[in-house]
Amino acid sequence: AKPPTARVTTTPERERDLSWSPDGKTLLFSSAANGNDDLYTAVPSSEETPWPEAFNFQLTPITATPAEEYAATFSPDGDRIAFIRGRGQLVVQPKDGGAETVLLDHWAAPDYAWSPDGAWIAYSTPNVHYNSEVWIVASAGGERYNVSRHPDDDFAPRWSPDGRRLVWTAKR
């Protein structure tokens, strides 16, 4: 029988926050292998070998900063990644590294979601009164907009598959 799983890393450190690329060929994750959480991608060493049958993987570091980087996800087209840095920076960069765009610099980690076309990111963060709001911002950067505008918690934004609607959980 074919193996149902494959061990991708062999480090004793924590690896977490797995995210598949839209084409299913690349695994994005956070690893503490260098002392703090940085982002890595993994692909089977041989393109012909399916994931569950692979024994060797090519691991590529995407970030290597003193800050923790985690909760990374691919954009819908697979060309960019968004992730959290430190306590609450929301960052977007090309999937292979490169120039970063900081969309949010906050004291708490946001819960975020890409729009289906990759043009927008919706996120929720608490304000100074610990009341969470839902915001949208262009994934290329720019002015953010509060879409929830409610005096109680609004969080966990998610886009409809066609991108025409944004839903979230609210205490109303």
Side-chain angles (χ1 to χ4, degrees):
K2 294 182 179 180
T5 60
R7 183 172 183 166
V8 177
T9 64
T10 58
T11 64
E13 291 82 18
R14 171 186 64 211
E15 275 105 15
R16 64 180 179 149
D17 299 333
L18 307 176
S19 177
W20 288 100
S21 62
D23 64 7
K25 294 181 179 180
T26 304
L27 182 63
L28 175 63
F29 63 97
S30 181
S31 173
N34 290 323
N36 66 294
D37 284 337
D38 288 313
L39 302 179
Y40 292 81
T41 57
V43 295
S45 294
S46 170
E47 282 187 29
E48 295 80 39
T49 306
W51 272 89
E53 296 175 15
F55 289 104
N56 297 308
F57 297 89
Q58 178 183 343
L59 303 179
T60 305
I62 303 299
T63 62
T65 70
E68 302 285 323
E69 285 126 354
Y70 56 97
T73 60
F74 280 97
S75 61
D77 64 6
D79 289 339
R80 297 174 291 160
I81 59 171
F83 59 92
I84 309 299
R85 176 178 286 142
R87 288 188 180 205
Q89 258 189 1
L90 178 57
V91 181
V92 172
Q93 74 175 45
K95 69 178 179 181
D96 298 325
E100 299 177 349
T101 301
V102 176
L103 300 180
L104 172 69
D105 197 356
H106 197 61
W107 50 267
D111 180 12
Y112 72 92
W114 287 93
S115 65
D117 64 1
W120 299 91
I121 291 184
Y123 65 88
S124 61
T125 55
N127 62 21
V128 295
H129 304 291
Y130 291 94
N131 169 45
S132 291
E133 297 284 357
V134 174
W135 301 79
I136 60 170
V137 63
S139 61
E143 194 72 26
R144 64 190 187 131
Y145 182 76
N146 183 340
V147 296
S148 58
R149 297 181 182 222
H150 187 261
D152 212 339
D153 286 332
D154 299 288
F155 51 92
R158 299 296 179 258
W159 297 89
S160 64
D162 64 5
R164 295 181 62 203
R165 289 181 172 65
L166 180 64
V167 298
W168 60 84
T169 303
K171 288 185 179 178
R172 297 194 179 216

